[in-house]
Amino acid sequence: KDNISQMSPFYSKFLSITPSFSTIAPTLLASSLFFYIVLKQIRKWASGTRVPLNVLKSTKYDSKHDVALITGANTGIGFETAKYLALLNTRVIITCRSEKKLASTLDALKEACSGTPHEEWNKLRRNGSYAEPCIEGVVMELGSLDSVKEAANKIQSELLSSTDKLRVFIQNAGYLDCEGGLTQDGYENMFQINYLSHFLLTQLLMDRIERDATRVVQVSSRAHTRFPHMTIKYDKLTHGPPASNCLTKTKVQFEWYAHSKLAQVLFMRRLDRLFKEKCSKATAFAVHPGVVRSSFQGGMPWILSLPFKILGQLTVKNSEEGAQTSVYCAINENIPEGEYYSDCVVEKRHALSDNSEAVDELYNRSMEMIDKWL
């Protein structure tokens, strides 16, 4: 009792200066509402631009003959892109690195297409433009040019008939190598996987691309603009970056990643010019999907992947949002070709892509690199 009586004045004073809940409730409610609105706007900004519904509605594909080819569709952006194009009635052909991944991805895609990802699909179905998806696949390991040629032969001989039209070719597969190393063909990993193998696949399918007026979409990255003075490192392609400590290695490997993405943009520019020179109706685009949380970050060191895990739910796109610009360029026939897009609008690209000599040099040297497989 003595202790309680001694503390009573303190509690009395504390209670006298502490506002009642009824007093602070309006402030708490207003503050909560304010933060909810702010966080919602941040998420809306981070999610980027969606493919306009009128563009989706105007897309007319026939799943019996209109084909979309997508590399690296087993997860992330590629998976969502394949799902979109399947729901738009194209017959989708995907590539994966192994038979196991291919089988599981085909099952997952067919299951995903049976759901309704967004309200626009309900509207498309009501318009009678939805059909059951048709999805096929082929194994292709981009770290092996032999595997690329084998896959190209299978695509042309077994998966594409003479009456089919390759309407869309999305070069989506990408790789961020934070360890460094060379492929079995002797080229720096990211240069071959992100660029050179797709270059070979394009050349092997070139006759079909030109005949069918294919829309070729390369999934690049804004990373290629982060090094404004970068050029293609022809003298280092067969031995890659030097060994270094952890922090230096992270910076060097990101630069090599940007280097491979720059090569993609230069290739896109050369393809665009090539199609126009041949009077082909085929078109070429490069896109930046945005900063996307996906398994792609699995190769990052923890110092880079940690921010994605902490802030990703709020400030980074999910894979479905990251696929929007790829789909937009693949299906919208009323946009300028030969450009680099981000959030469904043309964005400034690296200055080197406007240097015709640099563009031609990369193209010619790449042809020399893949000559054995042509």
Side-chain angles (χ1 to χ4, degrees):
K1 290 183 177 179
D2 292 340
N3 290 336
I4 295 175
S5 62
Q6 290 175 5
M7 296 179 68
S8 293
F10 170 78
Y11 281 115
S12 298
K13 186 175 181 180
F14 174 77
L15 292 173
S16 67
I17 64 174
T18 302
S20 65
F21 179 76
S22 61
T23 304
I24 65 173
T27 303
L28 288 174
L29 182 61
S31 299
S32 299
L33 182 61
F34 171 77
F35 281 111
Y36 172 77
I37 292 173
V38 169
L39 293 176
K40 190 172 183 180
Q41 289 301 312
I42 292 174
R43 185 69 195 93
K44 183 179 179 181
W45 166 81
S47 66
T49 304
R50 301 190 65 82
V51 179
L53 183 58
N54 66 307
V55 175
L56 293 172
K57 282 185 174 181
S58 64
T59 303
K60 305 295 182 184
Y61 289 132
D62 176 3
S63 59
K64 292 182 179 179
H65 301 294
D66 292 334
V67 179
L69 172 62
I70 306 167
T71 66
N74 61 295
T75 186
I77 298 169
F79 183 92
E80 296 296 333
T81 303
K83 181 173 71 175
Y84 256 80
L85 292 173
L87 287 167
L88 286 169
N89 291 0
T90 64
R91 179 160 63 86
V92 175
I93 299 174
I94 65 170
T95 74
C96 294
R97 286 179 296 168
S98 67
E99 290 284 0
K100 183 178 180 180
K101 284 184 179 292
L102 179 60
S104 62
T105 301
L106 289 173
D107 290 340
L109 273 172
K110 291 171 184 176
E111 182 179 352
C113 289
S114 65
T116 306
H118 279 284
E119 63 179 9
E120 55 254 38
W121 299 117
N122 281 332
K123 296 176 182 178
L124 288 171
R125 288 186 179 111
R126 284 199 293 271
N127 290 337
S129 60
Y130 175 77
E132 287 301 315
C134 180
I135 307 170
E136 302 170 291
V138 62
V139 173
M140 183 174 70
E141 170 55 70
L142 291 169
S144 165
L145 295 176
D146 284 336
S147 177
V148 174
K149 181 166 185 178
E150 183 179 342
N153 289 338
K154 184 173 182 179
I155 290 169
Q156 298 200 86
S157 63
E158 300 180 23
L159 300 179
L160 290 176
S161 70
S162 59
T163 58
D164 288 334
K165 288 188 176 181
L166 182 59
R167 299 289 296 273
V168 175
F169 176 18
I170 298 183
Q171 302 178 4
N172 169 83
Y175 180 59
L176 175 57
D177 176 19
C178 288
E179 295 300 322
L182 304 178
T183 66
Q184 65 185 58
D185 300 303
Y187 294 104
E188 191 274 327
N189 275 325
M190 289 180 282
F191 179 81
Q192 177 167 330
I193 294 172
N194 295 344
Y195 164 69
L196 189 61
S197 288
H198 283 113
F199 181 91
L200 172 60
L201 183 59
T202 304
Q203 299 302 327
L204 294 172
L205 299 176
M206 186 61 77
D207 289 343
R208 171 76 68 162
I209 289 170
E210 292 178 356
R211 190 202 77 175
D212 295 345
T214 305
R215 299 178 70 83
V216 181
V217 180
Q218 297 181 339
V219 181
S220 183
S221 169
R222 188 176 289 156
H224 86 280
T225 65
R226 299 295 187 242
F227 301 88
H229 302 295
M230 178 181 285
T231 58
I232 303 300
K233 306 173 184 180
Y234 297 108
D235 59 329
K236 298 180 180 179
L237 293 180
T238 55
H239 52 77
S244 55
N245 61 52
C246 182
L247 290 177
T248 303
K249 180 189 291 185
T250 299
K251 179 180 182 298
V252 169
Q253 291 305 120
F254 180 74
E255 184 176 348
W256 273 86
Y257 173 74
H259 175 261
S260 69
K261 295 300 177 178
L262 174 61
Q264 286 182 309
V265 175
L266 266 60
F267 178 38
M268 178 275 296
R269 294 291 290 168
R270 184 65 183 92
L271 268 183
D272 176 65
R273 179 150 48 94
L274 179 68
F275 294 150
K276 290 173 180 175
E277 290 171 353
K278 293 188 174 183
C279 297
S280 170
K281 292 184 179 180
T283 52
F285 307 86
V287 303
H288 170 59
V291 182
V292 180
R293 60 179 184 272
S294 68
S295 60
F296 187 75
Q297 283 86 42
M300 290 183 175
W302 68 269
I303 197 169
L304 291 181
S305 62
L306 188 61
F308 283 90
K309 295 177 181 178
I310 297 175
L311 301 174
Q313 297 297 322
L314 181 64
T315 62
V316 177
K317 292 181 179 182
N318 60 38
S319 296
E320 193 266 342
E321 292 161 347
Q324 296 298 308
T325 305
S326 295
V327 174
Y328 179 78
C329 290
I331 68 175
N332 192 343
E333 298 181 356
N334 299 313
I335 58 174
E337 64 267 17
E339 296 292 348
Y340 166 68
Y341 285 78
S342 176
D343 276 330
C344 301
V345 295
V346 175
E347 185 168 286
K348 185 177 180 180
R349 59 183 183 272
H350 199 287
L352 192 66
S353 64
D354 289 323
N355 184 324
S356 59
E357 291 183 2
V359 169
D360 288 343
E361 182 180 14
L362 175 63
Y363 188 88
N364 294 334
R365 289 203 182 207
S366 298
M367 289 296 288
E368 293 174 2
M369 294 176 200
I370 65 168
D371 181 67
K372 173 183 172 182
W373 291 271
L374 293 177

